[in-house]
Amino acid sequence: MPEEILQTHKLLDRCEVELGKRFTVHKLHLADDKEALIRSLAPRVRAIAGGNVGPELMDKLPRLEIIANFGVGYDSIDTAAARARSIRVTNTPNVLNDAVAEITLGLMIALARRIPQADQYVRQGKWPSGNFPLLTEINGKTVGILGLGRIGKEIAVRCQAMKMRVVYHGRHRQPDEPFIYYDKLVDMARDSDWLVLIAPGGKATEKLVSREVLEALGPEGYLVNVARGTLVDEAAMLDLLQSRKLGGAALDVFETEPQVPEGFFALDNVVLSPHQGSATHQTRNKMGDLVVANLVAHFAGEPLPSAVV
Ligand code: NAP
Ligand code: 8YV
């Protein structure tokens, strides 16, 4: 008999097909009575595919052994609760580094040169009445990266290719990296033209990018968030963008996505993206493969390809 697993939200089609070939999959997000489904599975289910798993769900599944998250960021899983119950947690690192780094540079150039706005300018027939305003370039500018990790390093090399100066902040200095390290985020923001966020979400980084940090980045400064909306004081960011005390922002993630505060829609100094960092066929397929590989390895008693707990 195949193992029964619980899927907590919609996954990529290919991932769902591959899971279905190996396991009996129960889809929590499609259940009319979720509590009844959980109750009925409690004596049997040893694995979850997907995120959004807190201690309450863990407690209802006493045989749960592993949670395989679709995504490198696992802030929607309570890892402390998992550890306390000896539940393994896996994520999907590395396979998405290039995709996320590419969209980061895309968002930076889109914001610097107002590419979405320029597109609208042409489509709305405004060009014959006058040229689109002159803007700014990213070459020669300093980019401060919050989170010089797997993705942050890929962003760094691409920024260097764009002739930018790269500096970074994290909890630790990385002596093997050639970039200048700031131990205080606010100091890095003050010294940077661009601030790129690519650190994990969760309690430890909540509102790390405070009003003070955003004010330090200043009226000529640009913020790019490809990490999690929770890293930023979103209300302060909106206020500073509206009053032009922050130069601009390119945002792929939001505090309560997919809800985006309407205040952003009226601003010409922002570029908005619906959490597209890893959203390519090739990358999402590799992420799905890793979810499956972790579950297969677990049930075969083999080492997990990408465990975080
Ligand atoms: P990673 O390799 O673990 O790198 C994370 C970096 O953040 C590390 O350099 C770490 O440095 C730093 N960091 C961690 N906690 C910090 C803290 N409290 N304060 C300051 N810096 C901290 O992770 P990754 O694979 O690059 O992914 C990073 C994040 O990107 C994910 O967690 C996810 O939320 C986000 N992401 C978004 C998308 C998207 O679609 N927009 C796609 C993929 C990933 P120190 O240890 O020195 O602090
Ligand atoms: C999402 C991401 O997980 O990997 C991450 O941390 O933010 C993204 O890749 C992806 O959108 C899955 O829903």
Side-chain angles (χ1 to χ4, degrees):
M1 284 288 284
E3 286 288 342
E4 293 185 64
I5 70 169
L6 183 66
Q7 182 184 325
T8 50
H9 53 75
K10 171 89 185 85
L11 294 170
L12 193 72
D13 287 347
R14 178 167 115 169
C15 181
E16 293 197 358
V17 169
E18 293 303 320
L19 288 173
K21 283 184 195 165
R22 295 164 176 82
F23 307 106
T24 302
V25 182
H26 301 276
K27 297 184 178 177
L28 185 62
H29 54 295
L30 298 183
D32 290 332
D33 188 342
K34 294 185 179 23
E35 288 305 319
L37 177 65
I38 293 167
R39 261 196 315 277
S40 72
L41 294 175
R44 299 187 305 280
V45 149
R46 295 163 61 199
I48 285 180
N52 305 327
V53 188
E56 307 79 23
L57 183 54
M58 295 178 200
D59 284 342
K60 288 174 189 164
L61 298 173
R63 297 196 63 210
L64 188 62
E65 294 170 6
I66 180 169
I67 304 164
N69 185 49
F70 185 90
V72 67
Y74 49 89
D75 45 314
S76 75
I77 297 170
D78 188 329
T79 49
R83 199 172 281 113
R85 292 160 180 77
S86 302
I87 296 168
R88 307 298 305 275
V89 178
T90 63
N91 68 344
T92 62
N94 293 317
V95 294
L96 39 56
N97 295 352
D98 287 330
V100 182
E102 278 183 16
I103 205 168
T104 304
L105 269 292
L107 287 169
M108 291 171 74
I109 297 170
L111 177 59
R113 306 297 286 270
R114 302 291 200 274
I115 291 174
Q117 293 84 349
D119 176 275
Q120 287 301 312
Y121 192 79
V122 176
R123 286 172 199 260
Q124 292 167 2
K126 293 181 179 166
W127 192 8
S129 314
N131 286 333
F132 195 69
L134 300 185
L135 293 157
T136 180
E137 296 168 32
I138 68 173
N139 67 78
K141 300 285 168 39
T142 295
V143 55
I145 299 180
L146 166 57
L148 191 71
R150 291 169 295 233
I151 303 170
K153 290 184 177 72
E154 292 295 338
I155 294 171
V157 296
R158 284 162 176 78
C159 286
Q160 286 185 303
M162 299 306 297
K163 304 183 185 174
M164 301 185 85
R165 176 175 168 266
V166 177
V167 301
Y168 73 101
H169 167 75
R171 293 163 302 179
H172 314 99
R173 181 192 298 274
Q174 301 183 47
D176 292 341
E177 293 303 325
F179 314 115
I180 289 175
Y181 172 71
Y182 282 78
D183 60 0
K184 290 200 175 54
L185 177 58
V186 70
D187 291 343
M188 184 173 81
R190 190 168 295 115
D191 291 352
S192 297
D193 304 294
W194 289 80
L195 178 60
V196 172
L197 314 183
I198 188 65
K203 278 273 166 267
T205 55
E206 204 173 302
K207 295 195 175 30
L208 200 59
V209 182
S210 59
R211 177 177 283 272
E212 185 193 9
V213 169
L214 295 167
E215 283 175 347
L217 189 57
E220 306 293 323
Y222 285 136
L223 178 79
V224 182
N225 191 1
V226 284
R228 287 288 184 266
T230 52
L231 267 80
V232 185
D233 182 338
E234 198 171 76
M237 171 171 61
L238 181 55
D239 179 44
L240 294 170
L241 285 165
Q242 285 167 333
S243 58
R244 307 282 155 167
K245 289 180 186 148
L246 176 62
L251 306 170
D252 187 46
V253 287
F254 302 86
E255 205 172 312
T256 54
E257 61 184 54
Q259 307 309 322
V260 176
E262 279 187 24
F264 286 114
F265 302 163
L267 294 174
D268 62 4
N269 53 348
V270 301
V271 172
L272 305 173
S273 167
H275 203 143
Q276 289 293 97
S278 66
T280 66
H281 293 292
Q282 71 216 64
T283 288
R284 287 281 169 87
N285 282 336
K286 287 182 199 157
M287 291 165 67
D289 291 348
L290 208 36
V291 169
V292 177
N294 275 292
L295 291 172
V296 168
H298 177 75
F299 287 114
E302 290 167 4
L304 302 179
S306 50
V308 291
V309 173

